[in-house]
Amino acid sequence: MSREPYHELKARERVAAIADPGSFAEILPPPDRVMSPYLPKLGIPVEFDDGLVAGRATLSGKPAYLAAQVGQFVGGSVGEVHSAKLTGLLKAAARDRIPCILLIESGGVRLHEGSSGEIGIAEAIRAVFECRSAGAATIAVIGSDIGAYGGMGILSACCDIRIMTEHGRLGISGPVVIEKWMGKEAYDSSNRALVWKTSGGKTRFLLGDAEVLSDDSSAAVREAIIAAMNAGRHPDLAFIEAQQAGLQERLDRFSGTSDADEIWKSRGVSDLASANLATASEFVKSITKGAK
Amino acid sequence: MSAVLESFFGNSAKGLHVADNLVTGYASVKGREVCVIGTLEGVYIDNRAALRLSAQVIDCIKTKPGVPVVMLVDSAGQEPNRTAEMLGLASCFGHLLTCLQVARESGHKLVTVATGKAIGGAFICYGMFADAIYALDSASVGLMPVEAMSAVTKIPVETLRELSKTLPALEFGAAPFAQLGGVLDVWPAGAGLEAKLDESIASAVLTDDRARLGKERGGRTLAWDVQQRVLSSTAQ
């Protein structure tokens, strides 16, 4: 299994690296030409998969549905066809009660398709919960620079498990939008260190927004996915009460904090400089040690 | 008391808790008790706001078995704020949706009315998750107006305006949103809203019919067929 950096791979390469060799069977593949009806009217080139590579595969011999967003195509954005493929895949996973793995790389709704993509993401979110009710694990993998933003950030937060790498980012409003809104003094979107401290994998892992922080290799990501395939949890009252208490505690604990370093320290990071440079596995190990 | 709240809940709106343009609590609709979560005056939704709404949903599940949840939406969006993002705004929204799903599975009907701004993430994070979704004709519903779309995509606003005449997805407002299947119906603002809300609670169904409606109404022609093709091509 390959050790190449996960974040450098393209969607089809990711699918090939994550699935058992030769097991991926694509649904509505490019020859079917299921594509955006909007982009040609706006003079924008289409892709015959509309930026979502979706299909069925096995991982370690176990069946799963698997989809990867194509970040190079309109920012991995979600339009009418893209969202319908995603929703269909999630509904299939719920029907068959097998895991649905989403390799996410998306800024959210495709603006060029207006409210159609917005409703499409809302439908996909309903379908995520169909899976969760059926006990089919929903696994969001966020390991690219584009990350998961906007509606795809919300959808990711609805899944059972989030696996992130240090390259991944998870949020709703992106740094450029916030900079425009609050000013460059409040959020300089060109400051990559600040952007990743705000929304990157390590901070999300420390706060519990991502359950797993994986090294940035397709082999490590694959291993983390296989370990999560049985992690489907049907949310019930006890589950949401615990979540409510945890999120409330976090807000109260860090209200008035704008520096992510404070969060890192309070969550067990003793040496900020080395933690910044640590790989995911080194980072996780140092936290676990600190907690003892 | 807010005129919007009075139009749906009459005098019982007095029992609702309104603070920072967030509405929580219980009221009645034509004598039927309902739980209410809502936003007013276009307020942005931040982490704390989302948790207040989710706390209300949890209270309803625990103390009022089967009582329908009415969601009113008048929010310009999620709070675009670095600290909010850092502290996990996405998780707060995901949690609010999870609470609504637990309510649904516990037998609470979920009905939404977009009363003012119902834009982007603020609509996705609770209102669009309902069993039945409606909008007032005066509501600003959709992803964004063509001017904003043009500013981000760099496509000339005239081009978008022209295309929006035949593509309701690009047009902003309640009526085009209904053509896409995003809302079941558009209600005239004003009188008779309490009765309409009452009927909509009674008729709410658990299936997500938006894609099928979008096809029937001609506004979103591909979504339903593509969903069905994925499902049929994977059927054992």
Side-chain angles (χ1 to χ4, degrees), chain B residues 36-52:
Chain B
V36 183
I37 60 172
T39 44
L40 298 172
E41 306 289 343
V43 65
Y44 281 97
I45 304 179
D46 64 3
N47 314 44
R48 222 167 264 286
L51 290 188
R52 267 166 58 186

Side-chain angles (χ1 to χ4, degrees), chain B residues 13-30:
Chain B
K14 285 188 186 124
L16 292 167
H17 182 67
V18 180
D20 309 321
N21 285 315
L22 288 182
V23 188
T24 52
Y26 300 93
S28 74
V29 175
K30 294 279 172 196

Side-chain angles (χ1 to χ4, degrees), chain A residues 23-27 54-58 63-66 89 96 98, chain B residues 234 236:
Chain A
S23 73
F24 184 71
E26 189 166 349
I27 301 161
R56 218 182 135 113
T58 60
Y65 285 99
L66 174 63
L89 199 77
D96 301 345
I98 61 176
Chain B
T234 54
Q236 302 292 301

Side-chain angles (χ1 to χ4, degrees), chain A residues 126 133 204 209 234 244 258, chain B residues 54 82 86 91 105 206:
Chain A
R126 282 280 306 258
S133 299
R204 296 277 67 84
D209 297 327
H234 188 164
Q244 177 82 21
S258 59
Chain B
S54 59
R82 191 185 73 79
M86 183 178 76
S91 292
E105 290 183 12
L206 290 173

Side-chain angles (χ1 to χ4, degrees), chain A residues 176-213:
Chain A
V176 176
V177 171
I178 297 176
E179 179 186 302
K180 235 180 237 168
W181 183 262
M182 299 180 71
K184 212 175 177 74
E185 315 74 48
Y187 200 4
D188 178 358
S189 65
S190 63
N191 182 344
R192 284 178 64 88
L194 179 66
V195 170
W196 259 263
K197 267 277 164 79
T198 299
S199 299
K202 286 176 177 172
T203 298
R204 296 277 67 84
F205 173 73
L206 287 178
L207 284 173
D209 297 327
E211 285 75 5
V212 182
L213 186 68

